[in-house]
Amino acid sequence: MACARQPDHGTPARDGAPVTLTIDGARVTVPAGTSVMRAASEAGISIPKLCATDSLEAFGSCRLCLVEIEGRKGTPASCTTPVADGMVVATRTDRLASLRRGVMELYISDHPLDCLTCAANGDCELQDMAGVVGLRAVRYGMDGANHLAAEKDASNPYFTFDPSKCIVCSRCVRACEETQGTFALTIDGRGFASTVAAGMAEAFMDSECVSCGACVQACPTATLMEKSVIEKGLPEHVVETTCAYCGVGCSFRAEMQGTEVVRMVPSKDGGANEGHSCVKGRFAWGYATHADRVTTPLIRERITDPWRAVSWEEAIAFTARRFRDIQARHGRGAVGGITSSRCTNEEVFAVQKMIRAGFGVNNVDTCARVCHSPTGYGLKQTFGTSAGTQDFKSVESADVVMVIGANPTDGHPVFASRLKKRLRQGARLIVVDPRRIDLVRGPHVQADFHLQLRPGANVAFINAMAHVVVTEGLADRAFMAERCEDMDAWEAFIAEPRHAPEAVEEITGIPGADLRAAARMFATGGNAAIYYGLGVTEHSQGSTMVMGMANLAMATGNIGRPGVGVNPLRGQNNVQGSCDMGSFPHEFTGYRHVSDDTVRAQFETLWRADLDPEPGLRIPNMFDSAVAGTFKGLFVQGEDVAQSDPNTRHVHAALGALECLVVQDLFLNETAAFAHVFLPGTSFLEKDGTFTNAERRINRVRPALAPVPGKHEWQVACELATAMGYPMSYGSAAEIMDEIAALTPTFAGVSFERLDRLGSVQWPCNDAAPAGTPVMHVDGFVRGKGRFMVTEFVATEERASRFFPLILTTGRILTQYNVGAQTRRTENSRWHAEDLLDIHPHDAEQRGIRDGDRVSLASRMGATTLRARLSDRMPQGVVYTTFHHPVTGANVVTTDYSDWATNCPEYKVTAVQVALSNQPATPAEPAGAPAAE
Ligand code: SF4
Ligand code: SF4
Ligand code: SF4
Ligand code: FES
């Protein structure tokens, strides 16, 4: 038997004043605006339907949901009829039954009668409705005109479109418009000739479709169907879990047959996604069972030796022996570890505890160092906590949205769909990005301003925005006076004429008048929200820019309510969580400094260990120390630093100098080439724990499969710590969360039991906020008063020159994910098989480069080759590439410059030269290396 479908009330929920009506004799009270169909459904009365589903606005086309309403003529459709006070509705009468049977008879007369062999047998609403209305015979026969021979479109790698089964209910078309916002589908033709079409394209694969799966989920028949279900059959049980790709943190149902995943379906009650998904979470999960996975521990004496498969016991003993020996010879501080933003909170917590208590050092850092560490620093300085201020739903209340250095339609697609919906409702949009990203102009979305700033000019830009606000009298003085401090010095600074938009035009590249107009819109357009990405943080002034955005939000009073705020779009699934879990060398969980005696004493008491009051090494310091010969042992949890960290040559030199490098991962990655120990990791489908997304939402990750290597990753950390002489054990991941809650005020109310009960919670979750905190800083900032920080613009030392006249900036695309270790092992590579260099046609012409030519990309650090794509999305002087394929080696060219406060690398500004090349796609020197996100 197929597993149960998610509940469907037929039409969306409303939030009007209460209205009471009678349905089939029962009194029902619902909010005004609710449809009769939904009111009935909420009262347990199910009305037959086909074209209605509660994720979409009612359409009223199938005429199956007819009802009778006292005092009204005819039989109105219950999906399009709103409730009214005192209304008396009948949903079951002989007349209605006969009408519904007639409707179904017409549908079935043009539908293949192959239910028993249909892939959707048991999961088809058309089949269900035939049963519900009691259809027993079809009078019309199948001989007349019909669509039964219509050809199937199997071009998409993940789903098929079989028009012979289509009832033209338009749910797919509406899902693509309303839920996804891509508008890839239309209904072609009229009347009997009506058919669903993928726009002007012949096939789905050639259309605008981005394979989000919304139409597949909305389709009530087998017309749009996952290929995995066609191949394997319907799932029979469900495990609720969380996507492991980006920081949106979508909730999913892993729909299973025994121990095999049949499909991933977004959960309608998922707090972050509310039933929507993107192509990665929905379809690109096959890497979890890919043949490349390493499932047994491997060790070797030297990195030139072949790997030897060993038992867990031998691998743990080998590692502990090496680390102990290193510490005996070189001191305690000669070892350390890097935690992963791909792993659960519980796994990260266990690793940092192993390092602090088991290794006895604070040499722990996380991959967030290379992406969002400036967010943590900047927001803590200004607001008092290292996290975004809003939930995603907040964007539904925004009137002006400013997107800075982020490309949500590719990087955070499910959030982008929410944003586009709000924009279609009339919210205004300011895009600040050197590239013309899709949001600038798309179906029914058009940015009011595209401020095409020069890479590296962020702080000059944000200061100019604030300058306009302050000098034109647009500041929210009441908010500033009541809620903030240190504004006098900031105001005096920001009002200086050198920050005027016109004065910084040369630096920003943005016409002063445009910047001024955008600032006015931001300050006066109602609720104004900032969303930003790595185009903000991965700069030498990343932290300054974060503080600059916080200043602007405070100066305009846009903090502390829905629709406003400063919101980092986090790259990896658990970046927020890995930072929360004490992964930075200077902080315990909840961002408390290791030098704080009171906090450290709590940890020492519970952990029964002496802890170092001095901060440990950051990742770049670890690498520098390794090259200098003072750092010898490194444990790397689920990260590929040899690919993802900047200046590959230096990273490789550091890794090559280590006496013991331990890599825990799914695949033998580039870093493993330097490793002495490889410990097999678990995929998200095997993990038991929690991820924390970009809105601080703690979501449960539940194991659909047993851990393939035989152990959970937190168990491995416990065993290694124990072998190092520090006994550490837990009975379950839930116990680890209990310890996190006991030690971390913002997590005090979090437990697996509460998460299972509430679905998810956003921290802070404690006695003051037992159900979590969707919007922060409502009545006061976490640090008391919001603090204005002076944000002086300092140009990066990386400059374009005669030899390196172009600026390279990097980003990612929808179908691939970061270094591509997972997505490259799925059909997603059909959309993006190689990284390309986008270059403005004028820059290309000057160099004699044509579209598709192979070009060399050289910086002061190194060179690589890739194919060029001429693109007028680029401004002149700036080139762009993605970094999903190791062969491209984007980090061969990135520099050592980094954020002054956090050492986050300056990935987004590299001076380069581009020239025609006849070399194959191999980085010149050294090998491998896409930039991190
Ligand atoms: S998969 Fe998504 S983008 Fe493609 S047609 Fe369906 S709803 Fe539209
Ligand atoms: S493909 Fe499915 S959802 Fe779309 S019109 Fe046909 S039956 Fe309805
Ligand atoms: S938006 Fe992010 S979290 Fe959601 S399905 Fe896509 S990759 Fe996964
Ligand atoms: S469900 Fe109401 S008209 Fe189709």
Side-chain angles (χ1 to χ4, degrees), residues 244-245 284-290 293 666-667 683-684 821-822 825-826:
Y245 280 115
W285 38 269
Y287 70 87
T289 50
H290 195 278
R293 261 190 81 174
L666 299 180
F667 306 105
S683 77
F684 80 108
Q822 293 138 303
R825 291 181 169 93
T826 70

Side-chain angles (χ1 to χ4, degrees), residues 22 53 127 140 200 281 396 426 430-431 513 534 563 589 780 798 908:
T22 305
T53 184
Q127 187 183 41
Y140 310 117
M200 305 297 284
E396 294 169 12
I430 303 165
V431 172
L534 302 184
T589 58
E798 177 70 354
K908 303 295 183 193

Side-chain angles (χ1 to χ4, degrees), residues 273-466:
N273 57 323
E274 296 181 339
H276 192 31
S277 62
C278 83
V279 60
K280 293 189 287 290
R282 178 75 152 97
F283 296 117
W285 38 269
Y287 70 87
T289 50
H290 195 278
D292 287 352
R293 261 190 81 174
V294 179
T295 55
T296 50
L298 307 172
I299 62 171
R300 55 185 175 183
E301 287 295 324
R302 289 171 298 275
I303 61 171
T304 47
D305 294 343
W307 285 110
R308 197 158 58 83
V310 294
S311 66
W312 275 106
E313 290 70 25
E314 188 174 348
I316 299 279
F318 179 90
T319 309
R321 202 165 50 241
R322 284 216 161 181
F323 276 5
R324 277 201 310 262
D325 178 54
I326 289 170
Q327 289 192 306
R329 287 186 291 114
H330 299 282
R332 232 175 24 177
V335 301
I338 299 172
T339 66
S340 170
S341 297
R342 317 306 321 280
C343 292
T344 62
N345 288 320
E346 294 71 16
E347 290 165 339
V348 169
F349 181 84
V351 167
Q352 62 88 35
K353 179 177 175 181
M354 171 187 81
I355 293 164
R356 292 186 201 278
F359 297 1
V361 290
N362 286 327
N363 294 339
V364 55
D365 207 354
T366 177
C367 53
R369 171 74 53 214
V370 299
C371 66
H372 265 289
S373 49
T375 289
Y377 180 87
L379 294 184
K380 184 153 188 192
Q381 294 298 313
T382 46
F383 297 163
T385 194
S386 300
T389 59
Q390 313 294 122
D391 59 354
F392 288 136
K393 204 173 181 56
S394 164
V395 79
E396 294 169 12
S397 309
D399 302 307
V400 179
V401 176
M402 183 155 69
V403 177
I404 311 178
N407 184 10
T409 51
D410 283 38
H412 303 85
V414 166
F415 168 71
S417 292
R418 268 190 203 261
L419 169 59
K420 287 189 289 186
K421 190 172 196 168
R422 181 65 190 146
L423 296 173
R424 291 196 301 274
Q425 290 166 351
R428 317 300 295 269
L429 175 66
I430 303 165
V431 172
V432 188
D433 201 295
R435 297 170 62 225
R436 197 182 72 235
I437 58 172
D438 282 351
L439 271 184
V440 172
R441 198 178 312 126
H444 303 275
V445 169
Q446 166 100 45
D448 296 85
F449 294 98
H450 176 206
L451 306 181
Q452 227 166 346
L453 93 171
R454 295 207 171 102
N458 286 347
V459 173
F461 158 75
I462 205 76
N463 284 348
M465 291 284 285

Side-chain angles (χ1 to χ4, degrees), residues 674-812:
F674 300 90
H676 305 84
V677 181
F678 184 87
L679 303 176
T682 51
S683 77
F684 80 108
L685 290 169
E686 297 139 57
K687 291 186 188 298
D688 188 5
T690 54
F691 292 149
T692 307
N693 75 355
E695 37 162 21
R696 296 169 279 103
R697 186 183 300 279
I698 307 164
N699 277 314
R700 278 284 276 124
V701 184
R702 297 185 184 83
L705 312 171
V708 172
K711 284 184 196 301
H712 286 292
E713 290 183 27
W714 56 265
Q715 289 174 311
V716 177
C718 288
E719 289 176 18
L720 181 53
T722 304
M724 290 283 289
Y726 175 72
M728 188 169 138
S729 71
Y730 298 97
S732 66
E735 268 184 28
I736 305 179
M737 179 52 84
D738 291 343
E739 184 171 312
I740 295 165
L743 286 168
T744 317
T746 44
F747 274 65
V750 182
S751 66
F752 280 19
E753 184 277 326
R754 183 165 296 184
L755 292 171
D756 290 342
R757 190 158 35 87
L758 300 181
S760 62
V761 294
Q762 290 171 262
W763 67 256
C765 172
N766 44 33
D767 285 347
T773 311
V775 176
M776 292 192 84
H777 317 299
V778 172
D779 297 317
F781 285 90
V782 168
R783 65 180 300 282
K785 298 260 185 183
R787 177 159 55 149
F788 279 92
M789 300 290 291
V790 169
T791 51
E792 189 68 68
F793 169 66
V794 180
T796 172
E797 290 179 34
E798 177 70 354
R799 304 276 164 81
S801 67
R802 194 153 59 89
F803 295 113
F804 301 104
L806 303 171
I807 295 293
L808 169 73
T809 187
T810 59
R812 66 186 194 212

Side-chain angles (χ1 to χ4, degrees), residues 4-25:
R5 285 194 204 120
Q6 301 184 73
D8 185 348
H9 292 302
T11 61
R14 299 287 187 240
D15 56 6
V19 168
T20 299
L21 68 162
T22 305
I23 306 177
D24 292 348

Side-chain angles (χ1 to χ4, degrees), residues 156 159 172 175-177 180 182-185 204 207-216 224 276 283:
N156 186 288
F159 59 84
C172 54
C176 194
E177 292 175 5
Q180 165 57 23
T182 291
F183 294 75
L185 302 179
F204 265 75
S207 72
E208 297 295 313
C209 168
V210 293
S211 292
C212 71
C215 56
V216 181
L224 285 158
H276 192 31
F283 296 117

